[in-house]
Amino acid sequence: MATKITSGESGNFAPQPLIQGTGTQERFVTFLDIMGFKDRVARNSHKQILEDLQQLSNYVSEEIKESDQFAFTMFSDSLIIFSNDVSKETFLSIIKLSNSVVKKSISLGLPIKGAIAKGECTTRFGEKMLFFGQPIIDAFVLEENVEMYNIVLHNTVETYAKTLAENSMLFDCEVQLKGGKSHHYVLAWFAQNLQEGKDDLREIRNSVSGAPRRYIDNTLKCIKSFEGFDKVSVSEN
């Protein structure tokens, strides 16, 4: 039996049972990284950081508690979501889930970026925790290159993305990377309320200087690109 890692009332992150999830198989992997974490730790109390992480962890736990499709783990400033299969239906579900996680994180004032990849992956939760596989590496390396607050899709999932190309949850965008710009599919976490997404980003912008502001500017450009994108809404139900 697999587990998901959540925070209990004691303030500790403790494993909770989740059906399926352990073993080696093809999986979708969403790798997320909270930005500016070192600075946040230096400027805030340990208690405040723990409360922020608990809010995000509890949110993800609540989102997946009724499903046996996903498991996740969270350590330091990284959160990783694993799927239990690579069906088209599960891809749609991980897109919805990843969208909601980014939106929630941004609303909490936690700027976040990430990537989604697919491939053979081993997951083992509990006392002998182990996570290994190419999709974890692919998602991590791509995430490291992204210079905006969003999730970018790795080429291993682009075939799936093209089946959803005309909807409000993802779209093709010119992405700012560390080495330049390149078109990738990205998530539209802001689609449900564009103004709210912009306001949340600008609130974060007012609390930072330097490179973080560039990331926010790049994200706002992405939103502007989405506003001109010919899209068809997809129900969140």
Side-chain angles (χ1 to χ4, degrees):
M1 178 176 290
T3 60
K4 59 185 176 183
I5 307 303
T6 65
S7 55
E9 294 181 359
S10 64
N12 296 319
F13 289 89
Q16 304 292 330
L18 181 69
I19 298 173
Q20 301 179 14
T22 292
T24 301
Q25 63 189 73
E26 290 280 305
R27 304 181 189 278
F28 296 120
V29 174
T30 298
F31 187 99
L32 291 159
D33 184 35
I34 299 172
M35 302 301 294
F37 194 73
K38 291 180 181 178
D39 183 67
R40 185 178 296 272
V41 170
R43 294 176 179 272
N44 295 273
S45 68
H46 183 91
K47 180 181 178 181
Q48 182 59 57
I49 299 298
L50 180 59
E51 288 177 356
D52 291 342
L53 294 178
Q54 283 179 327
Q55 285 193 69
L56 185 58
S57 176
N58 289 341
Y59 177 80
V60 180
S61 179
E62 187 69 21
E63 287 291 295
I64 70 174
K65 72 176 184 179
E66 301 298 333
S67 171
D68 62 358
Q69 289 179 303
F70 304 108
F72 81 99
T73 187
M74 189 171 186
F75 53 93
S76 188
D77 57 349
S78 298
L79 188 155
I80 311 177
I81 301 170
F82 303 94
S83 76
N84 290 328
D85 62 64
V86 290
S87 67
K88 291 181 179 179
E89 293 75 17
T90 299
F91 179 73
L92 176 61
S93 295
I94 202 169
I95 292 297
K96 288 182 177 179
L97 175 60
S98 300
N99 259 319
S100 68
V101 172
V102 174
K103 182 178 180 181
K104 180 64 174 180
S105 184
I106 295 293
S107 72
L108 291 172
L110 298 173
I112 199 168
K113 64 173 182 167
I116 300 176
K118 178 186 78 75
E120 187 176 37
C121 184
T122 297
T123 62
R124 186 170 69 208
F125 295 83
E127 294 181 1
K128 298 181 179 179
M129 191 178 296
L130 173 68
F131 306 107
F132 166 74
Q134 190 62 45
I136 300 175
I137 297 171
D138 288 338
F140 170 75
V141 171
L142 181 55
E143 174 273 320
E144 280 278 281
N145 275 298
V146 175
E147 291 194 334
M148 68 175 181
Y149 300 140
N150 204 340
I151 293 179
V152 177
L153 272 58
H154 188 262
N155 68 276
T156 51
V157 296
E158 282 193 338
T159 299
Y160 293 85
K162 289 175 181 177
T163 67
L164 300 175
E166 293 183 347
N167 68 67
S168 64
M169 291 186 296
L170 56 82
F171 69 111
D172 182 88
C173 177
E174 186 176 62
V175 177
Q176 181 64 55
L177 304 172
K178 290 183 178 178
K181 297 179 180 180
S182 179
H183 275 266
H184 286 78
Y185 283 105
V186 301
L187 301 194
W189 58 267
F190 37 74
Q192 295 299 307
N193 191 324
L194 291 171
Q195 191 57 51
E196 181 180 60
K198 293 176 184 178
D199 290 344
D200 287 341
L201 286 168
R202 286 167 179 150
E203 186 171 342
I204 295 174
R205 190 179 193 277
N206 290 335
S207 66
V208 298
S209 300
R213 286 197 172 188
R214 188 177 74 249
Y215 277 56
I216 291 171
D217 291 343
N218 291 337
T219 310
L220 290 171
K221 289 178 183 178
C222 179
I223 294 177
K224 185 175 181 180
S225 175
F226 175 81
E227 290 178 299
F229 183 68
D230 184 15
K231 51 197 174 294
V232 178
S233 294
V234 171
S235 172
E236 292 293 330
N237 297 322

